[in-house]
């Protein structure tokens, strides 16, 4: 029986998924792992900006003593030479969930 494009499609999807997973960076050295997925973000009300040159950094869940603790969002002054804030995020690894800090981007 000849292979058609339809019968090869699942193979290509699997290969593409494996390639994408291979590109995921490893956890940073010294990463602290949470045993479970972080909760959904809390809804926050942005307070009035302290002035131009500030960017809102949304709140996030921090892993602390076997549980998640909410860290409220805040305004931060934009660092010189940068334009945007790249938010931190939780990533999953075989050892659990770990936090990747936010950082300034150009």
């Amino acid at each position: 029986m000849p292979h058609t494009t339809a019968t090869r499609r699942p193979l290509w999807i699997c290969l593409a998924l494996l390639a994408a997973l291979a590109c995921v960076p490893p956890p940073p050295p010294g990463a602290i792992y949470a045993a479970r997925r972080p909760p959904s973000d809390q809804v926050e009300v942005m307070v009035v900006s302290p002035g131009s040159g500030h960017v809102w950094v949304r709140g996030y869940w921090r892993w602390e003593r076997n549980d998640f603790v909410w860290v409220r969002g805040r305004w931060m002054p934009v660092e010189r030479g940068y334009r945007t804030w790249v938010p931190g995020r939780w990533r999953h690894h075989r050892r659990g969930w770990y936090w990747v800090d936010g950082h300034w981007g150009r």
Side-chain angles (χ1 to χ4, degrees), residues 37-99:
R37 174 188 286 269
S40 297
D41 286 350
Q42 291 188 3
V43 176
E44 293 187 300
V45 175
M46 275 196 287
V47 295
V48 176
S49 170
S52 64
H54 287 75
V55 64
W56 177 255
V57 176
R58 69 178 190 221
Y60 63 95
W61 289 105
R62 179 179 64 216
W63 183 251
E64 187 176 293
R65 297 188 191 144
N66 299 323
D67 204 2
F68 287 100
V69 176
W70 182 253
V71 177
R72 292 177 20 187
R74 65 200 183 284
W75 289 100
M76 281 182 43
V78 177
E79 286 191 15
R80 188 175 186 177
Y82 294 94
R83 297 170 68 185
T84 60
W85 175 255
V86 179
R89 64 195 179 284
W90 283 96
R91 299 202 60 163
H92 189 261
H93 186 261
R94 67 179 175 269
R95 293 178 59 191
W97 292 86
Y98 66 95
W99 177 252

Side-chain angles (χ1 to χ4, degrees), residues 10-24:
L11 175 63
W12 285 109
I13 291 171
C14 289
L15 290 174
L17 181 60
L18 286 173
L21 290 174
C23 296
V24 174

